[in-house]
């Protein structure tokens, strides 16, 4: 990466946190935790990892475009960007989807593969609910990948001479799309089974633009404040006390879990907004303050957590199928034993997927992108 687009090493661990919460969500579902009268409202919100993934994408992918605009450089080339995104997500997904469809018997995927392999699962109710459950989020991600360079190009057409003016012209449209997404969700509110969309209006990019906008807003702030000796008070607090945004995120998560019943549609828009804010708080210590200092950053710097973050995409792809296959052991093992087995088996399968498919594809994509850049 260029000096204006530095690496953020703690984001690997953030991916691990995101993936692990989603794994635990599906463990709880298969173990019957969603029917528990005492803990269901908490267990059903464990997949807070999906908004974390969306904010990470918004931040990391948009930051190079913002950095180029602030530096008045050319935009990152669309060709290499598209190649990297293609090889980042497609090969591992196609291999996993084919094997999983055969392994756990998904006739909808095998009989009509085009919507699923073509990242169009979310656009029709019949394919949305009959395919491989976790794949709907990939359709949202792919749509965001395609939109992002168009958005960045449009932002460069806006006036702005000073850094302050550029920052304002970046932030104001993000506020607008955040408000649009909230209004969209309110207009299309549903009875959701704990953040699992059951109709296309709530499963496509417009419903999640607010979460991507939060990540993109962090990217703007990161670039605008880079190199400044005097930072705003809020940023200095995050830098010196990284535990504070995590405590705030935990408090918001508890509040989110206790807004009405988890099946009540009327409260779902509020929960949706809070999910994005929880993810925002979780990201803050990894964006501001470097990679050292404080217990939170020490946790995120743990090499084991960072390794899980490295394989987190494969873990996300495979864990649901692995847990379904292990469902018959839940009564014998108890929910704790079942959770340990499900997590360990999912990580093992994900590691195989990463080293056999995902990493070679990533390296090929990086090489092709470099060749295209030359």
């Amino acid at each position: 990466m260029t000096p204006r687009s530095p690496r953020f090493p703690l984001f690997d661990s953030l991916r691990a946190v995101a993936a692990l919460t989603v794994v635990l969500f599906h463990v709880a579902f298969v173990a019957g935790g969603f029917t528990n009268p005492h803990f269901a409202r908490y267990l059903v919100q464990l997949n807070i990892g999906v908004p974390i993934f969306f904010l990470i994408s918004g931040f990391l992918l948009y930051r190079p475009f913002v950095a180029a605009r602030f530096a008045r450089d050319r935009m990152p080339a669309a060709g290499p960007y598209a190649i990297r995104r293609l090889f980042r997500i497609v090969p591992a997904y196609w291999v996993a989807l084919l094997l999983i469809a055969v392994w756990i018997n998904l006739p909808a995927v095998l009989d009509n593969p085009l919507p699923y392999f073509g990242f169009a699962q979310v656009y029709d109710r019949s394919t949305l609910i009959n395919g491989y459950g976790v794949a709907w989020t990939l359709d949202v991600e792919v749509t965001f990948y395609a939109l992002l360079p168009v958005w960045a190009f449009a932002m460069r057409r806006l006036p702005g001479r000073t850094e302050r003016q550029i920052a304002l012209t970046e932030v104001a449209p993000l506020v607008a799309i955040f408000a649009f997404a909230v209004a969209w969700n309110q207009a299309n509110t549903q009875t959701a089974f704990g953040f699992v969309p059951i109709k296309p209006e709530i499963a496509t990019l417009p419903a999640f633009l607010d979460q991507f906008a939060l990540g993109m807003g962090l990217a703007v702030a990161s670039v605008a404040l880079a190199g400044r000796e005097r930072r705003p008070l809020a940023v200095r607090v995050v830098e010196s006390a990284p535990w504070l945004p995590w405590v705030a995120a935990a408090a918001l998560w508890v509040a989110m879990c206790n807004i009405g019943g988890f099946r009540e549609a009327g409260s779902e828009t509020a929960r949706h907004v809070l999910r994005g804010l929880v993810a925002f708080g979780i990201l803050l210590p990894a964006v501001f303050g470097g990679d050292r200092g404080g217990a939170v950053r020490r946790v995120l710097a743990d090499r084991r957590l960072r390794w899980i973050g490295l394989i987190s995409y494969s873990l996300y792809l495979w864990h649901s199928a692995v847990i379904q296959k292990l469902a018959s052991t839940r009564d014998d093992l108890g929910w704790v034993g079942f959770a340990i087995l499900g997590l360990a088996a999912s990580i093992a399968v994900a590691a195989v997927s990463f080293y056999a498919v995902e990493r070679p594809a990533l390296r090929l994509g990086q090489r092709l992108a470099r060749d295209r850049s030359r």
Side-chain angles (χ1 to χ4, degrees), residues 45-71:
Q45 299 297 342
L46 274 176
N47 62 344
I48 190 67
V50 173
I52 295 175
F53 278 130
F54 287 167
L55 264 77
I56 288 174
S57 292
F59 176 83
L60 291 179
L61 297 183
Y62 193 47
R63 197 182 189 283
F65 291 100
V66 177
R69 186 183 178 198
F70 270 78

Side-chain angles (χ1 to χ4, degrees), residues 274-295:
L274 286 174
R275 288 185 197 106
L277 296 178
V278 170
F280 185 85
I282 291 173
L283 260 65
L284 282 175
V287 174
F288 300 110
D291 59 351
R292 298 181 182 274

Side-chain angles (χ1 to χ4, degrees), residues 21-29 31-48 193-195 253 257 262 335:
T21 59
V22 176
V23 172
L24 292 176
F25 170 88
H26 285 104
V27 166
F29 172 74
F34 289 2
T35 60
N36 185 293
H38 304 293
F39 303 111
R41 64 175 62 243
Y42 299 102
L43 296 176
V44 84
Q45 299 297 342
L46 274 176
N47 62 344
I48 190 67
F193 193 66
F195 192 41
W253 182 80
C257 294
F262 70 81
W335 72 268

Side-chain angles (χ1 to χ4, degrees), residues 209-228:
L209 281 173
D210 56 326
Q211 295 172 4
F212 287 108
L214 287 172
M216 295 163 71
L218 269 179
V220 175
S222 172
V223 172
L225 297 174
R228 285 195 182 183

